[in-house]
Amino acid sequence: MEIVNKIGRRKTSVARLYMESGKGEFNINGKSLESYFPSDVLQIIVKQPLMLVEQNGNFDFKVNVNGGGPKGQAEAIRLAISRALCEIDAENRSPLKKEGFLTRDPRMVERKKPGRRKARRAFQFSKR
């Protein structure tokens, strides 16, 4: 099987994923999944699409991820894995879509506006 290359994004995180058949190893920015995401919750987020289509342990992943925080990075990787699984087998698409793993979360940080302290927060009003 050839290498599948996909991109996942979330907030300001971008994950570039290379998937090939293997024994379920993750290489995220040169580290293992456990050392890159010490939190169990983030490890589960990354593995959700694999558990859903029962392909856990069948593929090796090399991921380059940058930008954002740990949760955004984990969700960007989840989107990339979901897209790669759809390319491997079209039957994976409907269960992944039903769980919402193929939807790019469009929420981004709102920009700061001029004349305000933050995006929406105004400066404190002084009556006198």
Side-chain angles (χ1 to χ4, degrees), residues 35-124:
S35 62
Y36 195 81
F37 293 122
S39 160
D40 290 341
V41 176
L42 297 179
Q43 292 176 28
I44 290 167
I45 286 174
V46 169
K47 290 183 175 178
Q48 273 177 325
L50 297 166
M51 303 288 193
L52 186 67
V53 296
E54 293 163 5
Q55 294 285 345
N56 202 9
N58 296 356
F59 299 105
D60 286 347
F61 300 94
K62 181 180 182 303
V63 186
N64 296 324
V65 63
N66 61 352
K71 180 117 194 288
Q73 289 188 351
E75 292 184 7
I77 294 170
R78 179 176 73 182
L79 176 60
I81 290 173
S82 301
R83 287 176 171 172
L85 289 171
C86 285
E87 188 164 307
I88 295 290
D89 188 358
E91 289 176 16
N92 292 337
R93 186 167 175 81
S94 63
L96 288 169
K97 193 161 177 67
K98 189 165 165 266
E99 288 294 320
F101 294 158
L102 292 173
T103 307
R104 187 336 189 162
D105 194 332
R107 293 176 293 179
M108 301 287 278
V109 175
E110 192 173 334
R111 80 176 193 85
K112 185 195 172 302
K113 314 297 188 310
R116 295 191 169 249
R117 207 168 76 190
K118 290 167 59 180
R120 297 186 179 204
R121 172 78 168 96
F123 289 107
Q124 185 168 347

Side-chain angles (χ1 to χ4, degrees), residues 4-31:
V4 176
N5 179 11
K6 288 289 169 192
I7 287 185
R9 292 190 179 93
R10 169 77 171 96
K11 287 178 148 183
T12 55
S13 300
V14 180
R16 291 188 303 282
L17 175 111
Y18 304 91
M19 181 172 96
E20 57 188 334
S21 55
K23 5 184 223 304
E25 293 176 6
F26 281 85
N27 177 355
I28 304 173
N29 290 356
K31 297 180 180 178

